[in-house]
């Protein structure tokens, strides 16, 4: 069993631990409880385990929407901080999910209601009642492994299996938790497709020339539509006897347009299903086109897709903003990365798009930059120039470069880093952070920022002036996040007694890292090779002031659950020299789950705030990732924003005067203020005036 349920030590309630995902969350009750195992039967939605408690009140540690079902039909949903009226006596199933898992509460012969207390969702009944808690993990692994040869036609057959991971063929698969992880791909001498991952018979097919680049590019659309990929000289999609041609000269753009189109329509049509609740997408779509959602929902996937393709693209244009793009080399060696990219529904461009290549030639004396500011390098010899790739803008906040060369403003993953990120052993206890300061001349920064999660524990260990032997041992130890502040050269990470070259490490226990010194790319790459999942490195000299600022902002956002790509985007928004930093490993990975289930950065401009006579203007930047992925639901507790489909949009909205004190009293909300990322814990209304 992946879940353990224990009684809380200091308060009434229970702690639920997902031993596979390494996540935990408390549920508070109004009285002492004794959780007992219960049957998983009878729930509308699938659950992994169930326990029963007797209580009048169940409180989660954060705000979340609450959905009530009766007889398998959704009858009520809370969308704001307002309390709900008490529902009539009866049997209900309540979606009461915190960020870390799906939680369904079944109550019988009760009259439940919800309210919100200090930013937390509360489920309550008039009298103590038996509550059965059904829990489902967000954890996903490939259901099987497909072996393919380097023959493009065999690769087409392998990609055709990706739709087997969809948990439904209805529009509900636009919910991220109903899209499973595509089968893994291995290269071999013969094609082998296990029966459990055979292609679904949806009746949708995609035809492209048998070439690696074309196959990789259409893979996201094939996965989402459960389509087979077949050879054809005329690139097109065929569904229910109707077809739509792709643009031969702009295949990636055509695939993106169709994927965004059908996905957006699914996000509207799914309101005819289990969750019949409106979003801003539904409202905007209905202003452009009239559709029969119930009829479309009930159609088979192929017929629904064919009808979607008859709807003008102008009806859905701009309603959703995609979050991630991957540039992938058109070579058979890169086939194994596809399932991991598509698990997050990333767009694919193959062959990759280069805007330019730049040769970086740092200062021979990197201890002193041109403005005499101390830099984080200790090299006195002329360094070797490094060529880096600047990818063509993908118009998504997240970007991966899966091709030869070192890319800036993007993540640089390997197949190994994807696999390690997925299968890394997780500890359901505290997040283990090790911060190493290896040069007293450099600013240390605020280590308390690593412990910024509102209810998850973090163990922060700080070390100073480690020797090469001590640093080697530190990198051998199992640790969730390793942050190095010091000088880095081509020969290694500097210590009082010399340099430790991470290329000499046979292994590392570090999961994620930040090597915050000049030109740390090669040393970080070696950590990736030695077994790390990913982290931040630099591709050029960085001044000490900039490095300290970047390190503190990264620590803040990592601590509250932001994905790596969201942190890199936030650094650019803050005006830091983000082009000197890059990501190694999977840019959509994170070291812990966000306490609100979504990663949203609130951006304020103090001049605009001071000029406002009423509500404060605020920009909301969204970063979908993993099972908090694109297609989920965004609920806004404080701002004047309606419920929306979770995408990568930047929403311009306002924070009412009446909600200001409550917003800044809420814990762990990241805020960008005049170029600095801070948490609401450290801000107040008075600081803006």
């Amino acid at each position: 069993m992946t879940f353990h349920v224990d009684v809380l030590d200091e308060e009434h309630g229970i702690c639920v631990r997902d031993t596979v995902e390494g996540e935990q969350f408390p549920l508070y009750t109004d009285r002492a409880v004794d959780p007992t195992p219960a049957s998983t039967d009878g729930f509308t939605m699938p659950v992994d385990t169930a326990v029963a408690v007797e209580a009048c009140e169940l409180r989660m540690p954060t705000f979340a929407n609450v959905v009530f079902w009766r007889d398998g039909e959704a009858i009520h949903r809370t969308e704001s901080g307002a309390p709900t009226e008490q529902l009539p006596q009866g049997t209900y199933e309540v979606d009461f999910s915190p960020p870390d898992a799906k939680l369904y509460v079944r109550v019988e012969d009760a009259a439940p209601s919800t309210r919100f207390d200090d930013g937390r969702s509360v489920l309550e009944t008039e009298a103590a009642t038996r509550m059965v808690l059904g829990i489902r993990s967000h954890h996903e692994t490939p259901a099987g492994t497909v072996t393919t040869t380097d023959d493009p036609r065999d690769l087409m057959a392998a990609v055709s299996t990706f739709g087997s991971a969809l948990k439904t063929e209805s529009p509900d698969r636009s919910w991220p938790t109903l899209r499973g992880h595509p089968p893994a791909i291995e290269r071999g001498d013969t094609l082998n497709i296990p029966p459990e991952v055979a292609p679904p018979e949806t009746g949708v097919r995609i035809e492209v020339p048998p070439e690696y680049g074309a196959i990789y590019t259409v893979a996201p659309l094939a996965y989402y539509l459960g389509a087979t990929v077949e050879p054809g000289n005329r690139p097109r999609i065929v569904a229910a006897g109707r077809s739509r041609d792709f643009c031969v000269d702009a295949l990636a753009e055509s695939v993106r347009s169709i994927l965004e189109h059908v996905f957006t329509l699914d996000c509207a049509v799914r309101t005819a299903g289990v969750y019949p609740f409106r979003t801003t997408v539904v409202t905007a779509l209905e202003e452009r086109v009239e559709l029969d959602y119930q009829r479309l929902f009930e159609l088979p996937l192929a017929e629904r897709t064919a009808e979607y393709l008859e709807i003008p693209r102008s009806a859905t244009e701009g309603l959703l903003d995609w979050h991630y793009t991957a540039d992938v080399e058109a070579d058979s060696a890169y086939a194994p990365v596809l399932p991991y990219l598509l698990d997050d529904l990333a767009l694919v461009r193959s062959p990759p798009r280069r805007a330019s290549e730049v040769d970086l030639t740092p200062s021979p004396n990197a201890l002193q930059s041109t403005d005499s500011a101390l830099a984080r390098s200790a090299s006195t010899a002329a360094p070797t120039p490094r060529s880096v790739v600047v990818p063509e803008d993908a118009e998504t906040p997240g970007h991966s470069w899966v091709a030869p060369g070192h890319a800036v403003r993007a993540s640089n993953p390997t197949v190994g880093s994807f696999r390690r990120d997925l299968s890394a052993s997780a500890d359901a206890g505290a997040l283990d952070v090790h911060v190493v300061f290896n040069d007293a001349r450099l600013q240390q920064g605020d280590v308390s920022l690593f412990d910024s999660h509102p209810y998850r524990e973090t163990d922060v260990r700080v070390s100073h002036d480690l020797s090469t032997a001590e640093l080697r041992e530190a990198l051998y130890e199992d640790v969730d996040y390793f942050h190095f502040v010091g000088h880095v050269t081509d020969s290694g990470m500097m210590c009082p007694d010399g340099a430790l070259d991470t290329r000499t490490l046979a292994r590392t226990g570090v999961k994620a890292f930040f090597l915050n010194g000049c030109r740390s790319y090669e040393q970080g790459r070696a950590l990736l090779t030695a077994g790390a999942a990913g982290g931040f490195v630099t591709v050029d000299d960085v001044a000490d002031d900039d490095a300290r600022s970047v390190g503190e902002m990264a620590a803040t956002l990592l601590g509250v659950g932001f994905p790596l790509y969201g942190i890199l985007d936030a650094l650019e928004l803050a005006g830091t020299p983000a082009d000197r930093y890059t990501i190694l490993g999977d840019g959509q990975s994170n070291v812990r789950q966000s306490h609100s289930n979504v990663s949203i950065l609130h951006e304020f401009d103090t001049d605009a705030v001071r000029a406002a006579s009423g509500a404060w203007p605020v920009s909301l930047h969204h970063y979908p990732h993993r099972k908090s992925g694109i297609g989920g639901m965004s609920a806004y507790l404080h701002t004047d924003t309606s419920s929306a489909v979770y995408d990568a949009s930047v929403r311009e909205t306002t924070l009412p005067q009446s909600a200001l004190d409550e917003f800044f009293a809420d814990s762990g909300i990241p805020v960008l203020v005049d170029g600095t990322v801070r948490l609401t814990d450290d801000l107040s209304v008075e600081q803006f005036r």
Side-chain angles (χ1 to χ4, degrees), residues 42-44 67-76 85-95 104-113 123-125 130-132:
F43 285 94
T44 300
V67 180
F68 291 85
W69 282 299
R70 191 170 187 176
D71 298 327
E73 181 180 348
I75 60 168
H76 184 74
E85 294 183 3
Q86 195 168 51
L87 297 176
Q89 197 90 1
T91 297
Y92 297 90
E93 183 176 327
V94 187
D95 185 341
Y104 304 97
V105 182
R106 184 176 174 83
V107 294
E108 298 181 358
D109 194 25
S113 63
L123 174 65
E124 56 188 356
T125 56
R130 183 174 185 263
M131 299 182 177
V132 181

Side-chain angles (χ1 to χ4, degrees), residues 513-565:
F513 56 85
F514 195 144
L515 303 187
N516 205 1
C518 294
R519 304 187 308 280
S520 60
Y521 186 97
E522 292 298 339
Q523 295 299 307
R525 188 82 178 184
L527 287 180
L528 207 65
T529 302
F536 288 98
V537 293
T538 61
V539 295
D540 202 352
D541 286 353
V542 288
D544 185 38
D545 286 345
D546 289 334
R548 178 193 56 77
S549 177
V550 167
E552 289 186 342
M553 285 192 276
T556 300
L557 295 173
L558 277 167
V560 295
F562 265 52
L564 299 185
Y565 87 86

